[in-house]
Amino acid sequence: VVDIMLCVDVSSSMSEQDFKINGEDANRLDVTKIAVANFIANRRITPEERFGVDRLGLIFYAGIAWTGCPLTLDYVVVEHEMAQVAPASNRERRKNGTAIGSAIGLAVRRLSKSEAKSKVIILLTDGMNNRNELDPITAAHLAAEYGIKIYTLGVGPLPQAQRMGGIVAPARIAGDPVDEAGLKKIAEVSGGAYYRATDTASLEKAYEAISQLEATDIEANDIYEYDEVHVPWIVLGALLLGAAVYSRRLYLEVLP
């Protein structure tokens, strides 16, 4: 059994529309919602099941981190909370920024008392830690002490070279660039892995790869085949009972 906390960056830069869904422009959070929904669906035993074998939970973070959904077997609740979240506004000073360390710390607190065989954090961000309440590497070491693996996902297009008056300059990317070195270190410290997602397909593949790495083996119920052997004995018993009643009336009831 696996307990999984999904940490999702909902900072203002996640509203940047530089992804595609079915050929249409889409923002980073909308694409993440689809990838997470597919991740949850893949962990169901059957598509119709509301409840799963592994517990899932949600942590959202921007300038601060908060619990979107505690660990639960009710996947419908997790899906609902994920579908409802929106990117933080730049006007929300308290929520402005990217508190990766705080998100990991909160997820560790949620998982620290878990008795699951495997405990996992899947952290997605399109930027770098710029809040200093808790250093992400320190948080990753804390996770490792509790046996919690962290898988990190850096999401967002790679900067592309643009020619401006003959000078090659990097394309503008909304928000801070993805801190790949930091995310790789977080994953390395905790025994997880780092994935880079630059488009919708690669993001879905990253979640799919993690789901396969942290799959729970479901033991199929044993199937037994039975041969009906009791019927002949019932018939024999009925015959003997009938013979006994007949004999009693034929022989014993004539006696004075």
Side-chain angles (χ1 to χ4, degrees):
V1 178
V2 187
D3 277 354
I4 302 173
M5 289 301 305
L6 300 164
C7 295
V8 179
D9 185 345
V10 295
S11 57
S12 58
S13 59
M14 288 292 286
S15 64
E16 188 73 9
Q17 289 193 315
D18 46 17
F19 275 73
K20 297 284 185 181
I21 298 176
N22 297 325
E24 301 291 333
D25 289 340
N27 67 44
R28 299 170 185 176
L29 185 56
D30 284 340
V31 172
T32 299
K33 288 180 179 181
I34 293 174
V36 170
N38 290 337
F39 174 84
I40 295 172
N42 289 336
R43 300 197 75 81
R44 282 186 162 93
I45 301 173
T46 64
E48 299 79 18
E49 289 283 345
R50 174 173 183 144
F51 299 93
V53 175
D54 304 315
R55 294 195 300 171
L56 302 178
L58 280 173
I59 297 236
F60 298 125
Y61 68 100
I64 60 173
W66 67 96
T67 301
C69 179
L71 287 166
T72 178
L73 294 172
D74 190 340
Y75 289 2
V76 172
V77 174
V78 182
E79 289 171 328
H80 178 267
E81 294 302 321
M82 186 66 209
Q84 295 300 310
V85 73
S89 169
N90 281 322
R91 290 175 293 182
E92 297 178 87
R93 293 185 178 181
R94 182 167 172 263
K95 289 187 176 181
N96 197 20
T98 307
I100 293 175
S102 296
I104 296 174
L106 181 55
V108 169
R109 190 171 74 183
R110 289 288 183 181
L111 290 167
S112 60
K113 296 181 181 179
S114 168
E115 296 181 357
K117 182 178 180 181
S118 181
K119 293 173 283 189
V120 173
I121 296 171
I122 303 176
L123 182 136
L124 175 142
T125 184
D126 68 341
M128 62 175 63
N129 186 72
N130 51 27
R131 290 291 180 270
N132 297 320
E133 286 81 2
L134 178 61
D135 176 67
I137 306 302
T138 301
H141 281 288
L142 181 62
E145 290 180 10
Y146 282 103
I148 302 169
K149 284 186 286 187
I150 305 176
Y151 294 93
T152 54
L153 290 85
V155 62
L158 295 171
Q160 296 178 348
Q162 295 178 332
R163 290 193 174 274
M164 300 173 58
I167 301 175
V168 177
R172 174 186 166 279
I173 297 292
D176 293 326
V178 174
D179 180 14
E180 292 200 272
L183 294 178
K184 288 177 181 177
K185 184 65 176 179
I186 290 169
E188 178 186 345
V189 164
S190 62
Y194 169 69
Y195 297 85
R196 186 71 167 94
T198 58
D199 54 32
T200 304
S202 59
L203 180 57
E204 290 180 337
K205 287 180 180 178
Y207 274 107
E208 182 180 350
I210 296 170
S211 184
Q212 291 176 354
L213 286 172
E214 296 297 332
T216 296
D217 293 328
I218 306 298
E219 294 183 4
N221 292 329
D222 293 333
I223 299 175
Y224 299 94
E225 293 185 0
Y226 294 94
D227 292 327
E228 299 291 348
V229 298
H230 65 283
V231 175
W233 293 103
I234 293 175
V235 173
L236 179 59
L239 291 174
L240 291 174
L241 181 60
V245 172
Y246 178 77
S247 299
R248 181 173 178 275
R249 290 185 176 181
L250 182 63
Y251 297 107
L252 298 180
E253 290 187 357
V254 298
L255 295 176

